[in-house]
């Protein structure tokens, strides 16, 4: 004991753990301590927590002493992406966010919990990063057990931001299972099934 009080640690309040964030997008980061000269960095390797592996984000706009807007890096998918807020003045120890999901595409609708009927028009909405090329839209009414067949033979420009799906009028590439309470939409890169997003909670079709 050197007789000095331990430093308080910064707590990252936003984004909260398990948030889905878009690669290359602009995000607001908020923290609890007043930091006059913050350094915001990221790490996306769950198995490596060595602080020397944090990479500073250079595109940062300070809002006030407790928040900043940052442009996220354009990296491949990671479900262990973290942001760290450091104090260049040294008053506080750095703090890290919970694990985030960073992706090249985000499914915005359906989010899960909705109930639709055959004949309804569902606006499938997405937001894509610049790395995306062509999008396929898939559906599974059996909690993922049917392998996510395509609901349409069309493919889509990511910039369209959505597709109107009329339930029951699919040009499907496989058997679609409904009615069901375990329905999922999957949107993915045409040539790379590893670049995708789904609704994490199921929706229902009656």
């Amino acid at each position: 004991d050197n007789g000095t009080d331990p430093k308080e640690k910064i707590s990252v309040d936003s984004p909260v753990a398990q948030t889905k964030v878009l690669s290359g997008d602009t995000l607001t980061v908020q923290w609890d301590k007043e930091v006059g000269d913050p350094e915001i960095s990221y790490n996306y390797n769950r198995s490596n927590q060595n602080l020397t592996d944090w990479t500073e984000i250079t595109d940062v706009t300070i809002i006030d002493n407790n928040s900043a807007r940052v442009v996220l890096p354009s990296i491949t998918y990671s479900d262990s992406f973290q942001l760290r807020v450091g104090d260049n003045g040294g008053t506080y120890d750095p703090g890290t966010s919970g694990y985030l999901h960073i992706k090249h595409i985000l499914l915005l609708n359906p989010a899960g919990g909705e109930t639709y009927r055959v004949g309804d028009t569902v606006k499938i909405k997405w937001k894509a990063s610049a790395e995306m090329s062509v999008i396929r839209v898939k559906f599974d009414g059996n909690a993922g057990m049917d392998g996510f067949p395509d609901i349409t033979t069309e493919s889509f420009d990511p910039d369209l931001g959505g597709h109107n799906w009329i339930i029951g009028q699919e040009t499907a590439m496989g058997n679609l299972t409904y009615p069901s309470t375990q329905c999922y939409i999957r949107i993915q890169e045409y040539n790379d099934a590893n670049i995708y997003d789904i609704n994490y909670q199921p929706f229902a079709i009656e």
Side-chain angles (χ1 to χ4, degrees), residues 22-179:
L22 187 67
S23 173
D25 206 4
T26 300
L27 179 74
T28 298
V29 181
Q30 298 176 312
W31 55 89
D32 65 334
K33 305 294 189 299
E34 290 197 359
V35 179
D37 185 19
E39 177 185 280
I40 302 176
S41 52
Y42 69 92
N43 187 322
Y44 59 97
N45 186 350
R46 185 193 299 272
S47 65
N48 192 341
Q49 296 304 307
N50 189 327
L51 293 184
T52 61
D53 292 326
W54 292 86
T55 302
E56 183 178 0
I57 298 177
T58 56
D59 197 341
V60 176
T61 302
I62 302 300
I63 299 173
D64 53 36
N65 288 342
N66 297 92
S67 60
R69 280 187 295 273
V70 303
V71 177
L72 297 173
S74 294
I75 63 170
T76 56
Y77 171 79
S78 171
D79 67 354
S80 56
F81 184 78
Q82 283 186 291
L83 292 167
R84 182 182 71 168
V85 177
D87 177 11
N88 284 318
T91 302
Y92 304 107
D93 283 334
T96 60
S97 71
Y99 290 124
L100 312 175
H101 306 284
I102 191 166
K103 295 169 170 279
H104 285 325
I105 188 165
L106 302 181
L107 177 64
L108 305 179
N109 191 72
E114 303 91 346
T115 298
Y116 302 109
R117 293 175 174 83
V118 175
D120 286 351
T121 298
V122 179
K123 180 69 172 183
I124 300 170
K125 297 180 182 179
W126 62 76
K127 187 177 183 181
S129 69
E131 287 78 10
M132 294 293 294
S133 58
V134 180
I135 291 174
R136 300 170 70 177
V137 179
K138 297 170 168 286
F139 168 81
D140 198 306
N142 191 22
M145 300 302 292
D146 288 344
F148 286 96
D150 294 282
I151 65 171
T152 174
T153 56
E154 295 179 80
S155 55
F156 302 96
D157 185 325
D159 291 339
L160 284 176
H163 167 64
N164 288 323
W165 170 35
I166 302 175
I167 301 174
Q169 297 185 20
E170 302 87 1
T171 55
M173 302 295 288
N175 295 322
L176 304 186
T177 301
Y178 57 75

